[in-house]
Amino acid sequence: MTTLTNTLRKIQTVRLSERSDQSSRFVIQITDAIRATGLGPGSQFYFDPSSVDAVGLLIAFGEPRSGPAAESRFTATVERCQVEDTLSLTVPKAALDALGYETPEVGGTLSVWAGSQMLGFGCDNQ
């Protein structure tokens, strides 16, 4: 395990609960993991698909948003769900593809790791 993955700890296992309004993204509710990063609603995460080859996890680097959200193919903003104190993030299908999750489906599971302003995702069997 690399130094990067040594800074992360496994927080939870989550289901891909639904497709977002964009079919190329999946919504996951990861309140505990997001809180473990020290970030909250409105924060933005950048997914790095190349991290899977380097460290075995899909790494998402987070930062507080200081202005308007500028989402791109591999970024997502933390949203507050209708259920009080529940936080969600949309995960790009292209990022899941890097994990070998080539045909992600609603109900599939991911393991989620977290550290300071960073998330890590892996297939549940990792």
Side-chain angles (χ1 to χ4, degrees), residues 28-47:
I28 55 173
Q29 293 183 1
I30 56 172
T31 304
D32 293 340
I34 291 169
R35 285 189 178 140
T37 68
L39 299 171
S43 299
Q44 197 163 43
F45 281 87
Y46 171 78
F47 294 85

Side-chain angles (χ1 to χ4, degrees), residues 8-72:
L8 301 174
R9 67 183 178 94
K10 187 174 179 180
I11 302 293
Q12 62 190 120
T13 299
V14 297
R15 292 198 178 282
L16 299 173
S17 60
E18 60 186 70
R19 283 190 184 263
S20 72
D21 56 355
Q22 302 170 26
S23 63
S24 61
R25 292 179 174 258
F26 288 84
V27 176
I28 55 173
Q29 293 183 1
I30 56 172
T31 304
D32 293 340
I34 291 169
R35 285 189 178 140
T37 68
L39 299 171
S43 299
Q44 197 163 43
F45 281 87
Y46 171 78
F47 294 85
D48 179 7
S50 68
S51 64
V52 176
D53 289 335
V55 297
L57 293 174
L58 172 63
I59 301 296
F61 299 95
E63 63 183 8
R65 189 173 72 198
S66 58
E71 290 200 15
S72 68

